[in-house]
């Protein structure tokens, strides 16, 4: 047999290349399945266990706060039947949430265990509950038991806080693991694809198509990982902030109602009823704001469009702004120079502008003025609100339109804000296919500008 007859044919090389290519693709597929399973397991752990630990720890902490409220209510108002019944009900709810921690199972975590929480809660209840009857007969013993009980509640709250923080840390660690797994998958995929590319030199067209599909799959997994992280973070933040904002007025309403029922002083009852009305109005506004944002997220913002001349809209905006600034004793400078027509919901646009004006009034120092400028440029209507406040740091400007976000130095919660106003304003503007932006410096204050497209009447 000649040497030439022993040479492998080109088809042999092609066959080997195809076999190696198929094996490489099989390895890639198996690895993708395994990595997808790891990503799924990490996601399920983050959602089912870690978030459950954080939420249950937060529930126990809230129950302790309610326990302290009912405890102080007994101390300040006396042991009425209603107060004692609420005390017992709150204690039972606390034990139920501690039992929930037992069901979840946190024995492997370096945090106070449910048995520790239950023992401290029982010790507090068994020591303080029997002394309630001594409120009148032996106030010294009652006050001593009360002080000891409040210290125990402080310890119990600190233990619940540890569990809540541990759950949050586990959640973020799980999300980090998801991101790391995706990065590892990408690195290994790229290494495998390099080998497949060498083999695919004989089958360039097929190898190119395989490479394109694998890169697309990898990009989709990366995007899914980012979306999961953003969704979990937004869900956790939204639930925590919304719960806080709704719980505060509800607690005040309940406390004031109970004090009003116990009080015989008409003036005090009137004051308590006024506070109840104020907190009810605040809670109603908050619920309406949350419903508006929810409908906006669902793609159906509640707006009713109509055609209006820009001048008419500007005048409709100026009147309430002047009245509000006058009520706040803040000078207002205004400038209106606009033309054209636009399709808007004037009530919603007024709501967005009043949100900006309210913020400007909140942070404008005494003696300074705010400004309202309405004009047209580049086939758009611009509405700008200017204040002369302390300004917004550059690193916080990108977050200022996020829900519930409040710059630390503004102390907006103390001023009565819930952090939803600018998010609502942005939703309104975007529903009109417009834009909202701000510029801010420590020396000149903050300027927020709404840009709305004018109607193109030439196409009507």
């Amino acid at each position: 047999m000649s040497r030439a007859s022993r040479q492998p044919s080109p088809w042999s090389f092609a066959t080997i290349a195809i076999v190696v290519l198929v094996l490489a693709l099989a390895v890639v597929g198996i690895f993708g399945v395994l990595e997808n399973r790891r990503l799924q397991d990490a996601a399920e752990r983050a959602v089912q266990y870690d978030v459950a630990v954080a939420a249950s720890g937060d529930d126990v902490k809230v129950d302790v706060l309610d326990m302290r409220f009912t405890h102080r209510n007994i101390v300040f108002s006396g042991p009425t039947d209603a107060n004692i019944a609420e005390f017992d009900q709150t204690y039972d709810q606390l034990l139920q949430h501690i039992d929930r921690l037992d069901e979840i199972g946190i024995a492997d975590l370096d945090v106070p265990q449910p048995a520790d929480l239950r023992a401290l809660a029982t010790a507090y209840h068994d020591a303080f509950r029997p002394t309630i009857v001594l409120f009148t007969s032996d106030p010294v013993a009652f006050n001593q038991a009360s002080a000891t009980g409040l210290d125990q509640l402080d310890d119990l709250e600190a233990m619940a806080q540890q569990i809540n923080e541990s759950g949050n840390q586990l959640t973020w660690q799980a999300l980090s693991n998801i991101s790391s797994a995706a990065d590892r998958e990408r690195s290994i995929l790229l290494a495998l694809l390099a080998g497949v590319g060498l083999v695919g030199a004989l089958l360039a067209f097929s190898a190119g198509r395989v490479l394109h599909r694998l890169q697309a799959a990898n990009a989709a997994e990366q995007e899914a990982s980012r979306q999961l992280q953003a969704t979990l973070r937004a869900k956790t933040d939204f639930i925590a902030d919304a719960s806080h904002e709704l719980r505060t007025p509800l607690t005040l309403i309940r406390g004031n109602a109970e004090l009003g029922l116990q009080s015989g002083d008409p003036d005090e009852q009137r004051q308590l009823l006024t506070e109840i009305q104020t907190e009810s109005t605040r809670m109603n506004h908050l619920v309406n704001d949350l419903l508006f944002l929810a409908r906006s997220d669902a793609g159906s913002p509640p707006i009713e469009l109509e055609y209006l001349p820009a001048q008419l809209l500007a005048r409709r905006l100026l009147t309430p702004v002047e009245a509000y600034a006058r009520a706040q004793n803040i000078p207002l400078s205004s400038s209106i120079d606009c033309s054209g027509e636009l399709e808007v919901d004037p009530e919603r646009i007024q709501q967005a502008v009043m949100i900006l004006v309210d913020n400007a009034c909140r942070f404008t120092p005494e003696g300074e003025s705010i400004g309202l400028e309405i004009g047209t440029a580049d086939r758009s209507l611009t509405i700008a609100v200017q204040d002369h406040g302390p300004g917004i740091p550059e690193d916080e400007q990108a977050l200022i339109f996020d829900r519930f976000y409040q710059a630390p130095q503004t102390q907006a919660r103390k001023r009565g804000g819930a952090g939803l106003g600018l998010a609502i304003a942005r939703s309104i503007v975007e529903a009109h296919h417009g834009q909202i932006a701000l510029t801010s410096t420590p020396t000149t204050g903050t300027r927020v500008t709404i840009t709305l497209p004018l109607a193109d009447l030439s196409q009507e």
Side-chain angles (χ1 to χ4, degrees), residues 394-411:
E394 184 175 354
D395 58 346
E396 296 174 5
Q397 293 180 16
L399 305 173
I400 205 68
F401 292 101
D402 290 350
R403 299 175 190 181
F404 293 107
Y405 180 81
Q406 296 164 346
Q409 71 273 18
T410 63
Q411 297 182 337

Side-chain angles (χ1 to χ4, degrees), residues 135-159:
F135 178 85
T136 303
S137 61
D138 192 353
V140 173
F142 172 82
N143 289 333
Q144 289 177 346
S146 174
T148 301
L150 291 174
D151 290 339
Q152 291 173 320
L153 288 177
D154 290 341
D155 294 339
L156 197 58
E157 181 183 359
M159 295 167 69

Side-chain angles (χ1 to χ4, degrees), residues 276-310:
I276 290 175
Q277 183 182 26
T278 300
E279 292 301 323
S280 299
T281 302
R282 174 189 169 193
M283 187 167 63
N284 183 62
H285 289 165
L286 177 60
V287 171
N288 288 336
D289 290 346
L290 291 172
L291 290 175
F292 178 87
L293 291 173
R295 291 189 61 183
S296 297
D297 290 344
S300 58
I303 60 174
E304 298 178 2
L305 300 177
E306 59 180 282
Y307 279 100
L308 283 178

